[in-house]
Amino acid sequence: MSIATQIQNIQSQLPEHVTLVAVSKTKPVEDIMEAYNAGQRVFGENKIQEMTEKYEQLPRDIQWHMIGHVQTNKVKYMAGYVAMIHGVDSLKLLLEINKQAKKWRRVIPCLLQVFIASEETKFGLSQEELLQIIHSEEFKALENIKVVGLMGMASFTDDVKKILSEFTTLKHIFDYVQPYQLPNCHFTQLSMGMSGDYKIAIECGSTMVRIGSTIFGTR
Ligand SMILES: *Cc1c(COP(=O)(O)O)cnc(C)c1O
């Protein structure tokens, strides 16, 4: 099926409050333009250099979401244009994003990544670490970032019960921190769900699904 058809299929299945992030990592700009012409405006990339090259070539009304692990020394390359950073997993990284955003006089929306899978390779904070960050005085002083929610990845498995349980855990953490509000912290977005598990994620309360291979294929 064509990219445009896949975008329309998925969009038609999503509840109104759920945002589709089309994950275009490794895909050429032609594929992104096909999705763009089908109406898609939010795209996700996991490498800063690749995202920046695409940003420079593609229409300016695209919202670029960084969904991959972010190295502190690379934040400066995307701070001028990135629409949201999903994988924030340390206070140190938040401090750097804040510093770079300030140079551009902007506020960068961020999601804190929480570790929910049983695999050791997945990045993310524990619930305790998350609470430590948002309750710290250092965090409260940051004026050029805004934490708008949480992000998580379930284990890579066919075991639906396991995925359900991991997404449910993340939703519980989200509900727990949701009432906590500061000028730079307001939890409204829950980024969970990929090609293989986005339907389960939506059942569990996702507001943002990150879908790559179902849209663009796996070539
Ligand atoms: C690649 C990637 C996705 C999309 O995965 P698909 O299975 O291709 O839909 C979603 N989230 C993150 C963090 C990714 O790296």
Side-chain angles (χ1 to χ4, degrees):
M1 256 188 282
S2 74
I3 291 170
T5 310
Q6 290 295 20
I7 295 267
Q8 281 146 13
N9 277 350
I10 295 168
Q11 287 284 15
S12 71
Q13 293 165 23
L14 297 183
E16 219 171 308
H17 66 278
V18 178
T19 302
L20 171 60
V21 180
V23 176
S24 51
K25 64 188 185 200
T26 75
K27 305 301 173 204
V29 293
E30 293 75 31
D31 287 10
I32 299 176
M33 272 317 290
E34 191 177 336
Y36 180 89
N37 289 331
Q40 184 64 28
R41 290 295 179 273
V42 183
F43 291 88
E45 292 281 337
N46 69 344
K47 296 208 171 74
I48 294 176
Q49 188 181 339
E50 182 181 341
M51 181 168 79
T52 302
E53 283 166 11
K54 289 172 174 173
Y55 161 74
E56 283 163 357
Q57 294 173 59
L58 288 160
R60 284 298 140 105
D61 61 341
I62 289 180
Q63 295 162 46
W64 293 101
H65 286 215
M66 172 44 62
I67 61 167
H69 188 66
V70 177
Q71 283 171 279
T72 316
N73 60 351
K74 300 219 171 116
V75 172
K76 56 177 175 287
Y77 301 116
M78 64 176 168
Y81 71 90
V82 70
M84 191 176 292
I85 303 176
H86 288 231
V88 180
D89 63 355
S90 70
L91 181 59
K92 181 173 159 243
L93 183 55
L94 275 173
L95 292 169
E96 177 64 15
I97 297 168
N98 187 73
K99 180 177 149 195
Q100 298 300 333
K102 194 174 188 136
K103 290 186 185 164
W104 290 90
R105 300 174 187 224
R106 53 185 302 246
V107 174
I108 298 182
C110 296
L111 303 176
L112 295 176
Q113 183 169 0
V114 179
F115 178 85
I116 49 170
S118 54
E119 294 151 20
E120 281 176 25
T121 52
K122 301 242 159 89
F123 295 100
L125 301 159
S126 67
Q127 178 170 346
E128 291 69 34
E129 290 166 333
L130 162 69
L131 295 175
Q132 244 172 35
I133 290 177
I134 61 178
H135 289 128
S136 70
E137 292 307 316
E138 261 180 308
F139 174 75
K140 290 175 191 171
L142 302 178
E143 294 181 340
N144 294 80
I145 54 104
K146 182 161 187 173
V147 169
V148 295
L150 301 178
M151 181 265 211
M153 288 170 84
S155 296
F156 189 72
T157 171
D158 291 333
D159 184 347
V160 172
K161 271 197 198 138
K162 186 169 169 63
I163 297 171
L164 253 173
S165 131
E166 291 173 358
F167 283 153
T168 302
T169 299
L170 184 54
K171 175 65 159 78
H172 285 157
I173 298 173
F174 179 81
D175 289 342
Y176 182 76
V177 293
Q178 213 274 328
Y180 182 76
Q181 286 183 28
L182 296 168
N184 67 354
C185 184
H186 191 178
F187 294 91
T188 59
Q189 301 299 320
L190 184 52
S191 167
M192 57 183 194
M194 316 184 3
S195 289
D197 56 21
Y198 74 91
K199 288 178 188 163
I200 307 173
I202 291 169
E203 272 178 52
C204 295
S206 171
T207 69
M208 242 179 208
V209 290
R210 309 176 310 269
I211 301 182
S213 45
T214 299
I215 297 171
F216 296 103
T218 48
R219 74 187 163 86

